[in-house]
Amino acid sequence: KLHKYSRLCALTLVASMAGAVPFLALSMGKSGISISNPRTWIMVICGLSVLWPGIPLVKWFRQFMKGGERLVAAETKAIYLNGCRHINLINFILYAFILCAAPQLLLAWVGPGYGSAIPITWLVAVMSLIHLATGVGTSIFKGVNRTGRELEYTLIQLVLALIWIPGLIHQGGLVGAVVGTLISIVVPSVYFIQRTNVAFRIPFGEYCASTLRPGVS
C-alpha cells in the first residue's frame, strides 16, 4: 500500500509540475527567458519531469486503474447509480440556481460593492457540485471496509493543495486561492468517481447517462 500511495503522490506532483509550465512561461514572458533567471531552470525541470518519472508513472497508473478489487453485487451497483442520480439531481437544482443568481444573492446577503465576489461564488458552486458527487461512493466503500480509497483521494488532495493554493495565491490573491482550492478538490473527486466506476465496472458514458443527464435536462 505504501508503494501505491507514494506513486499516486509522485504522479500528482509530476502532473502539477507539468501544469505549472504554462504559468511559468507566462510570467517569464514579461521579463524574458534568461539562464540567470531561476524560473527558467524551474520550468526546465518541470518539463523534464514529464519524461521522467512522468511516463513510467502514467504507465503504472493506467495498469493500476484497470486492476484492483471489483464490486459485483448488482444490488449495490443499483444503489450506487440511483444514489448518485438523486444527489446529483438535487445538487444541480441548487447550484444551478446559485450560478445563475450569484449577483442577486450577494446583493441580498451582503449589499452592494461586492461584485468581485461573484466569480468566487461561481467557483465554489462548481467545486461543491463535483465534490458532493463522491458522497455515495464514499459511503459504500466505508460499508465494505475499503476506506483506503478515501486515503488515496485525501493524499492527492493534499499534494495539490500544497502546490496550487500557495502558488495561485501569489498570482491571483483571493481568487487564486479559490482556484487552487477548486483544483485540489475537483481533481481528486473526479479520480475517486472514476475509481468507483471501475470497481463497479461502469463505463464513464453509462455513469454520465445515468447520473448526470437527469440534472442537465
Side-chain angles (χ1 to χ4, degrees):
K1 289 185 177 180
L2 181 61
H3 180 264
K4 174 182 67 176
Y5 296 144
S6 61
R7 287 202 170 193
L8 282 174
C9 291
L11 180 60
T12 305
L13 177 60
V14 170
S16 297
M17 293 172 69
V21 170
F23 292 94
L24 291 169
L26 184 63
S27 64
M28 292 172 58
K30 301 177 182 179
S31 59
I33 299 177
S34 173
I35 297 179
S36 60
N37 189 343
R39 293 183 179 181
T40 302
W41 293 103
I42 295 174
M43 186 172 67
V44 170
I45 293 172
C46 290
L48 291 176
S49 69
V50 176
L51 300 177
W52 191 90
I55 293 177
L57 286 172
V58 169
K59 291 181 179 179
W60 167 84
F61 183 73
R62 293 179 63 182
Q63 294 300 320
F64 169 71
M65 290 297 291
K66 294 178 181 179
E69 297 174 319
R70 295 291 188 266
L71 301 176
V72 297
E75 296 83 358
T76 308
K77 178 180 177 179
I79 291 173
Y80 170 69
L81 287 176
N82 288 331
C84 289
R85 181 186 302 113
H86 294 152
I87 196 171
N88 285 335
L89 181 59
I90 294 171
N91 290 332
F92 266 114
I93 295 172
L94 174 61
Y95 289 108
F97 170 73
I98 293 177
L99 287 169
C100 296
Q104 292 78 13
L105 290 173
L106 287 171
L107 180 63
W109 287 339
V110 295
Y114 291 91
S116 59
I118 295 175
I120 295 176
T121 305
W122 290 336
L123 292 171
V124 172
V126 172
M127 176 176 61
S128 301
L129 176 64
I130 298 174
H131 175 61
L132 290 173
T134 64
V136 179
T138 299
S139 300
I140 289 177
F141 281 124
K142 284 181 178 179
V144 297
N145 194 27
R146 290 296 180 269
T147 54
R149 305 288 180 109
E150 290 184 83
L151 181 57
E152 296 172 15
Y153 167 95
T154 303
L155 290 173
I156 295 172
Q157 183 181 26
L158 177 62
V159 174
L160 290 173
L162 291 176
I163 294 173
W164 286 102
I165 294 178
L168 292 179
I169 285 176
H170 178 72
Q171 294 291 329
L174 179 59
V175 175
V178 177
V179 173
T181 305
L182 182 144
I183 293 172
S184 65
I185 290 180
V186 168
V187 172
S189 295
V190 173
Y191 162 80
F192 183 83
I193 291 171
Q194 181 59 20
R195 186 100 156 93
T196 307
N197 290 341
V198 171
F200 280 111
R201 298 182 181 176
I202 301 173
F204 189 73
E206 179 184 348
Y207 173 82
C208 293
S210 299
T211 66
L212 301 181
R213 185 182 298 171
V216 174
S217 58

